[in-house]
Every structure is written in C-alpha cells, then in structure tokens.
Amino acid sequence: MSRSERLLTLLQVLRRYRQPVRGQTLADELGISIRTLYRDIASLQAQGADIEGEPGLGYVLRPGYMLPPLMFSRDEIEALVLGSRFVAQRTDDQLAHAARDALAKITAVLPQDLRQALQDTAMIVGPSIIGKNAAPTQQPVPLADLREAIRLERVLRISYQDGSGMQTLREIWPFALSFFEGARVLMAWCCLRQSFRHFRTDRILQCDMLESRSPKRRAALLKQWRLENAIPERLF
C-alpha cells in the first residue's frame, strides 16, 4: 500500500468512529507501527484534517472535513460511475441531476490518469425492460415529495389504488424508497393495516404531508422491517 493510499484509508477508518479511538487500535487495523501512525496523523493534520487528540488519549476526526484529491482504486472509480449512471437513469430528474453534478465534481479533482480511467470505464446501466414490467412512465406524486417525507420523518396521507383498481385512503409512516427494474416502491408502516406495506409509487394518486411526525424514527422502522423480513443489513 502506497503512503497516499494509507492516508486515505486512515481517514476512512477515523470516519467510522464517533468517539476517540486509541492510536494502537488504528495502527493494528492498518497494519503499521504506532510511530508510523503518529507520523500519518501529523501529515493529515498538516493537510487540514480536523483530527483532535494525542498519544495516550486517542484520536477523533471532526465532521465536515473534505477529502483532498487522493487516490481512488480502479474498482472504486467503476463503482462511482456505475452508481451515478444507475441513479441518473432509474430515479427522478432531481436525483439524476444531482448524480451527474456529483460525478463532475469528483472528476474535477482526480489526477489525470484516474480522470482518464473514469472516462474510459466500461460500466454501463442497461435499458429498462420494455413490457408489463417496465418502469412506470407516469408518476402522479413527485418522488422528491416522498423522499422529503422520509427525510423529515413525517406522516403521509395518501390515496392509493391497488392492482385491482380499488382506491383507499391511508395514513402511513414512510421510511424507505426502493428502485427496482419494473417499479419504484415506497416502504412504510400502514396505520390502516397495522403492519408494514409496500406501495408502488405510480399507484399513489395523491399525497399530503401532515404536520405530525412518525411516532417511530425512520431508523427504528427500517430495523424492525429488516428483522421481520430477515433482510441482512448489508443488502439494504
């Protein structure tokens, strides 16, 4: 591992800890000596990283530090490109625009050889399947409104039409939005059914965000949903 890669890895490790972590713990995780760790901490501090602490007390990286233009691996570059292209093609216009802007910002600070690798990557997102499973072309309620309700943890009152055409009025506690090949699905606790329900967004005919917040936090709902559905955390 080169020194620049080691410094980047050290930053990533520090980001995982919210409380001060002992220098020896960091050194062991990186596979380096404690003296090398102290030198690397000093180097990052000199580059502007807001790392607080000292030997014997531990270290913590304060929020808000922007990564300098260090190295990305080829795999990381391909993951970034593929992810941004997926978002640009399969989500809503607002997120698509944000994905393109984010990739442009990353490209601007990459070294020339990695910038070329990003432009030459062969990672592509295939077109949506044409037919009955194709992604919906009409979206009665903007996805941005649903994402905002999830972010603010607000209760939604929706008019929903099921597959048979029957309409119901429901109050739900939304906690996640999933993007599939054939559908976009809002995941929520349904007060009418008193259980978790999955709502196709193209069947949400109307949506009002209420002033009240969800009685349960979004993270708690997601955790409970995972447990009930035996979904490993790494898959969602």
Side-chain angles (χ1 to χ4, degrees):
M1 181 187 299
S2 68
R3 185 169 183 272
S4 60
E5 290 174 320
R6 192 176 71 241
L7 292 177
L8 178 58
T9 301
L10 175 55
L11 279 173
Q12 292 171 331
V13 170
L14 283 167
R15 285 180 183 276
R16 296 205 305 265
Y17 292 95
R18 297 186 178 181
Q19 301 297 327
V21 55
R22 293 176 60 248
Q24 190 60 57
T25 300
L26 295 171
D28 291 344
E29 186 164 347
L30 294 170
I32 59 178
S33 69
I34 191 67
R35 293 184 64 182
T36 299
L37 175 82
Y38 292 154
R39 287 198 297 268
D40 287 350
I41 291 286
S43 295
L44 289 172
Q45 289 172 329
Q47 294 178 32
D50 190 6
I51 300 174
E52 295 184 0
E54 58 184 75
L57 296 179
Y59 297 93
V60 63
L61 177 65
R62 295 303 179 189
Y65 176 64
M66 301 296 292
L67 285 176
L70 297 174
M71 299 287 287
F72 285 101
S73 70
R74 300 280 171 162
D75 286 345
E76 288 170 338
I77 286 177
E78 291 189 343
L80 288 169
V81 172
L82 186 61
S84 66
R85 288 176 177 174
F86 182 91
V87 171
Q89 183 170 315
R90 299 289 171 80
T91 60
D92 57 276
D93 291 342
Q94 186 175 337
L95 278 183
H97 184 74
R100 287 189 287 266
D101 282 352
L103 192 60
K105 290 177 181 178
I106 292 172
T107 303
V109 299
L110 285 176
Q112 180 58 40
D113 58 331
L114 292 182
R115 190 179 309 160
Q116 189 64 45
L118 185 147
Q119 294 169 350
D120 293 342
T121 182
M123 297 293 102
I124 61 174
V125 177
S128 298
I129 297 173
I130 304 300
K132 66 178 181 179
N133 292 324
T137 56
Q138 294 185 346
Q139 186 66 50
V141 174
L143 293 182
D145 292 351
L146 302 179
R147 289 191 285 107
E148 183 179 15
I150 293 171
R151 186 166 53 247
L152 298 178
E153 299 182 331
R154 299 276 284 277
V155 176
L156 288 180
R157 181 178 292 130
I158 64 172
S159 175
Y160 189 73
Q161 178 175 287
D162 63 19
S164 64
M166 181 178 296
Q167 294 185 27
T168 55
L169 186 65
R170 310 189 187 203
E171 287 192 6
I172 61 174
W173 311 340
F175 62 88
L177 187 61
S178 297
F179 296 85
F180 297 96
E181 176 69 20
R184 299 150 180 166
V185 177
L186 181 68
M187 301 156 67
W189 175 268
C190 178
C191 297
L192 177 65
R193 304 302 184 194
Q194 285 296 295
S195 62
F196 289 111
R197 286 293 187 269
H198 303 152
F199 302 95
R200 281 185 50 145
T201 60
D202 58 318
R203 294 177 180 168
I204 300 176
L205 305 180
Q206 186 175 347
C207 174
D208 295 311
M209 186 164 61
L210 306 184
E211 291 296 326
S212 55
R213 292 172 61 94
S214 301
K216 287 189 177 182
R217 300 300 301 270
R218 176 182 49 170
L221 288 168
L222 181 56
K223 182 177 181 180
Q224 183 180 346
W225 175 84
R226 284 199 190 106
L227 291 173
E228 292 188 11
N229 293 274
I231 305 295
E233 186 170 351
R234 63 183 177 82
L235 296 181
F236 194 85

